[in-house]
Amino acid sequence: ASSYTVTVSKDITAHINTFFEKHANSFSKLFILVDENTLKYCYPQLVAEVPTFEEAEIIEIESGEENKTIEVCTQLWETLAEIGADRQSLLVNLGGGVIGDMGGFIASTFKRGMPFINIPTTLLAQVDASIGGKVGIDLNNLKNLVGTFSNPLAVFINPDFLNTLDNRQLLSGFAEMIKHALIFDEHYWQKIKKSDFKNLKNSGALIEASVRIKNKIVKEDPYEKNFRKTLNFGHTIGHALETYFLEQNQQKPLLHGEAIAAGMVCEAWLSNRITGLGNSTLEEITS
């Protein structure tokens, strides 16, 4: 697996400008993948301070897990072909987990692979989805059934983007942070438990801890042959729940983190019954 930098900074545009200075004349064209939310709330902040983005073509998709499909991918591949993308073009994924997963998959497969960078804008994407090189889409509502391992050139995280999110989205991302603490770091778990769940906009300080944990695990086992499987805690049952709610075609399906939180409670219960997880720990995780 190739290495790449993950930068966490409130002054993220300076780091993005440095990236483009370093890669001057490396890219034939620049494309930015957005949804209606990131186009409205995040793109204007970036383009005002990153001159390179003024030359970029904007490609917009609708937000939501229900759009992470092969049909949308086909539209995106066709769009890239029509506007002259090639293997030397750069795709910038500006958005949450869906944009990062699908944008990375589009880039890794178009003309057998073009480079991409991630600028995650949700807590879920900042602490989990944008890191680790797993990209992909859902098939018949089955989560991440089709995909590749493909690393971005870089990931740029601005905790200030969290101010654009409602508390439901923040809680969804926080579920993955709880997971990181439970599978890897007792000290981090003690910190996580003291969080104010009604106000998670100040979670910026904890983002780096989660990023470090995920990076350590992924570096040790990039292709998920062994240790990386710990990152799936809560996901076996969680993905089943997500699939169920996607199949119901609800207006507001279960968010990824909500499903994973429920999955962690169920899987902790199984651990209590089968592998000796203590009752008090089970109660702590559940609460």
Side-chain angles (χ1 to χ4, degrees), residues 154-209:
V155 179
F156 298 99
I157 297 171
N158 182 359
D160 282 351
F161 282 145
L162 301 185
N163 295 324
T164 66
L165 303 174
D166 62 29
N167 210 53
R168 188 179 174 210
Q169 287 286 346
L170 289 166
L171 282 166
S172 176
F174 208 76
E176 293 284 7
M177 297 167 84
I178 292 170
K179 177 196 78 178
H180 291 144
L182 285 171
I183 64 173
F184 198 82
D185 190 336
E186 170 72 25
H187 178 65
Y188 186 35
W189 171 237
Q190 298 308 324
K191 270 190 183 171
I192 285 269
K193 284 194 300 186
K194 296 185 184 117
S195 299
D196 175 5
F197 292 98
K198 290 191 176 66
N199 179 23
L200 293 172
K201 284 195 165 67
N202 300 323
S203 300
L206 297 173
I207 288 172
E208 280 189 64

Side-chain angles (χ1 to χ4, degrees), residues 1-2 134 149-151 218 220-226 228:
S2 61
K134 270 186 176 182
F149 285 98
S150 189
N151 283 326
V218 169
E220 193 169 314
D221 179 20
Y223 297 112
E224 202 178 275
K225 297 202 173 1
N226 195 343
R228 183 171 178 167

